[in-house]
Amino acid sequence: MSSQSKLWVGNIDSKLSEYQLLKLFEAFGKVTAFDFLYTMNTEKGSRTPRGYAFVTFESSDAAKKAIQQLNNKKINGRDLQVRYANSTSTPTSSKTVKTTETAVPAVLTAGNSTKSTTSADKLEKIRQLEAKLKILEQDLNIGGKSTSINQSNSRYKPY
């Protein structure tokens, strides 16, 4: 997926359905991803459109055509706003605003560590865990009598 193939679509009228918007963009090329965002109301069990969506095309040419044809087009009485999703420029200015990207710490990445775990590392971690479990079992067996919580006849009385 090219970075120039994902579009942000804003100022969407709340009466415009997800299906209608998808069909509008499919006229410009194959849509590979479509995210129509809602706000969920858990008390009422309903959802309301947020007024924007993300559309990803297979090709950057299709995305470019969609921007040219649909940006500022009046749909249901509102001017649709269409631009590249990663665009940092404002629609009223031709200047590009530079942003500084900060690296995400490895701790915060979900399952995407830079060091791959080998099978030997995994086996060593399993051995360490088994050793800890054995120590915990020995601590529970005081004087040969098991003091396991599950085997206790007395019931815990919090007060």
Side-chain angles (χ1 to χ4, degrees):
M1 175 182 73
S2 167
S3 64
Q4 296 295 310
S5 64
K6 186 172 186 177
L7 303 179
W8 175 85
V9 184
N11 203 26
I12 301 170
D13 184 59
S14 61
K15 293 178 184 84
L16 189 67
S17 74
E18 188 174 358
Y19 178 77
Q20 291 169 325
L21 190 65
L22 178 61
K23 286 299 174 189
L24 186 67
F25 279 92
E26 281 181 339
F28 299 99
K30 183 176 179 187
V31 174
T32 57
F34 183 78
D35 296 316
F36 193 84
L37 300 162
Y38 292 93
T39 299
M40 302 301 287
N41 186 343
T42 55
E43 292 176 6
K44 294 181 182 178
S46 64
R47 61 185 190 169
T48 55
R50 288 189 180 181
Y52 65 95
F54 292 96
V55 180
T56 306
F57 285 97
E58 191 173 56
S59 71
S60 58
D61 292 336
K64 187 176 182 179
K65 278 192 270 183
I67 291 173
Q68 291 170 347
Q69 297 289 320
L70 295 177
N71 191 33
N72 294 321
K73 183 173 181 167
K74 210 175 255 313
I75 297 180
N76 285 358
R78 297 182 82 169
D79 290 335
L80 201 64
Q81 299 294 312
V82 183
R83 60 178 175 252
Y84 291 114
N86 61 350
S87 176
T88 55
S89 62
T90 58
T92 58
S93 169
S94 62
K95 294 180 182 177
T96 302
V97 180
K98 271 192 149 181
T99 60
T100 57
E101 291 185 23
T102 58
V104 177
V107 174
L108 299 178
T109 57
N112 193 13
S113 66
T114 55
K115 179 187 162 191
S116 64
T117 308
T118 63
S119 60
D121 290 338
K122 289 178 186 177
L123 288 173
E124 180 58 30
K125 287 181 182 182
I126 290 171
R127 279 191 219 110
Q128 290 174 354
L129 285 171
E130 288 173 342
K132 285 181 183 179
L133 283 172
K134 191 174 269 188
I135 291 171
L136 287 172
E137 286 175 353
Q138 290 172 355
D139 287 347
L140 287 176
N141 292 330
I142 300 172
K145 184 178 176 185
S146 177
T147 58
S148 173
I149 295 170
N150 293 338
Q151 294 177 356
S152 175
N153 290 336
S154 65
R155 187 171 178 183
Y156 173 70
K157 297 175 186 169
Y159 39 83

